[in-house]
Amino acid sequence: MSLPTNPASPDSSLPQLRVDGQPVPHRVEGRPAAAEDNTVLLSGDVDLSAQAPWATAGFAVVPGLPGGLQAALQAGLAELLREALRNVGCAVAPDFDISQYHRVIGDDAQRHLAVIAQTKAYELARLPVAPALLEALVSAACGQPVRAYNPNVQEAVFHLRIVRPHRADQNPLHRDAWLPRYRHALNIYLPVAGSTAQSSLALVPGSHHWPESDVERTAGGAIFHGVPYTVPGVLRPARPLELMRPNPGPDEVLVFSPYLLHGAAANLNPDATRVSLEMRFWRA
């Protein structure tokens, strides 16, 4: 599904969102959750950002893997996406530029969802570099040891996020921690292809310390621009929302708290799909 062409379209259910000062549409549907109190969700959970110099903002862009390892990781992840495309009948070449994913898939929703079914969760054994490398990177960034193992559901996985240009492929504005399986964690966003100042992940700095009463959300999964998602989405905030895209470069990694409000910002690249690695880490 394509997003509205007018970024200031009045069909948004929120007071207009702004990302780096630019208005963006944000149409969310869903049954409102029960009224919340002034509880700060993170205050009762493990806060893996608490010891970091970026604890107040809730995120940081840090140097990526050294010595060509990040490039090797990105190349291996690109091949995983090519494999997923071939599995759904797309005859892509070994050197296919995955930022052109949208040209191969187009608006074929069934085929796109068949790709997403493969890329939404990979066993950690399929990561193109040793998981311990990323665990060490994130441990250094947050100042305490972490591992890529989710004790909430006893699994170790990573995800490839695929966001086509001007399509409703991104999540609504949300906290990952609204889903119990993602609580007590720390996230990374690592660019693989097409990640730019017009497409990379957007977030609200400092919002990991906002009380739940400041954000009205859906009771269950939200419908965002007509597309259903499993995560609840923001319906109405009690304060202005100014999002930003930290925009890590190809040799960098964005580390951020899953309690931050993030998502919502479309890929505004004119002709490039954004592909990124998403992983979560818990206290070792």
Side-chain angles (χ1 to χ4, degrees):
M1 176 181 176
S2 296
L3 290 168
T5 55
N6 176 6
S9 172
D11 66 358
S12 174
S13 64
L14 281 173
Q16 190 65 53
L17 289 183
R18 298 178 66 85
V19 179
D20 291 330
Q22 181 177 13
V24 296
H26 189 265
R27 191 178 75 244
V28 176
E29 302 167 75
R31 179 172 58 87
E36 298 281 358
D37 59 21
N38 290 325
T39 299
V40 176
L41 195 60
L42 185 56
S43 66
D45 287 5
V46 174
D47 183 1
L48 290 176
S49 66
Q51 298 178 27
W54 41 271
T56 300
F59 73 94
V61 174
V62 302
L65 297 174
L69 287 168
Q70 183 130 322
L73 171 60
Q74 291 157 333
L77 294 171
E79 184 53 36
L80 285 180
L81 181 49
R82 294 186 195 105
E83 176 186 285
L85 283 166
R86 295 183 191 113
N87 289 342
V88 301
C90 297
V92 296
D95 61 350
F96 171 70
D97 179 358
I98 60 169
S99 73
Q100 297 302 296
Y101 170 92
H102 58 288
R103 289 186 171 269
V104 173
I105 292 293
D107 286 318
D108 188 333
Q110 184 175 0
R111 186 169 282 185
H112 174 62
L113 289 174
V115 171
I116 298 303
Q118 300 171 71
T119 61
K120 66 181 180 181
Y122 289 98
E123 293 295 326
L124 209 57
R126 299 210 66 192
L127 194 70
V129 300
L133 294 169
L134 288 171
E135 290 172 337
L137 185 153
V138 177
S139 296
C142 71
Q144 51 187 305
V146 300
R147 60 177 181 161
Y149 175 78
N150 185 345
N152 300 319
V153 290
Q154 292 81 51
E155 70 176 12
V157 299
F158 66 93
H159 317 266
L160 280 182
R161 178 76 65 184
I162 304 166
V163 183
R164 294 169 292 175
H166 301 283
R167 306 298 207 286
D169 291 345
Q170 73 284 353
N171 283 309
L173 192 64
H174 68 286
R175 305 187 202 272
D176 286 355
W178 283 335
L179 297 176
R181 67 180 181 272
Y182 293 146
R183 293 177 72 162
H184 315 293
L186 201 61
N187 291 15
I188 65 167
Y189 168 99
L190 189 150
V192 178
S195 184
T196 72
Q198 292 295 302
S199 67
S200 58
L201 181 71
L203 49 79
V204 182
S207 58
H208 56 320
H209 292 307
W210 290 8
E212 291 299 287
S213 56
D214 278 9
V215 184
E216 182 182 342
R217 62 178 178 87
T218 61
I223 299 173
F224 185 51
H225 292 283
V227 179
Y229 287 87
T230 56
V231 69
V234 173
L235 286 170
R236 276 167 294 276
R239 61 172 83 189
L241 288 176
E242 289 287 339
L243 289 84
M244 66 168 292
R245 300 191 201 253
N247 189 29
D251 57 350
E252 296 177 317
V253 177
L254 169 64
V255 183
F256 68 100
S257 170
Y259 295 77
L260 282 175
L261 293 170
H262 64 282
N267 175 358
L268 302 180
N269 288 332
D271 189 33
T273 291
R274 185 256 277 177
V275 182
S276 55
L277 167 67
E278 297 181 5
M279 282 181 67
R280 296 176 177 88
F281 301 81
W282 284 263
R283 179 176 286 167

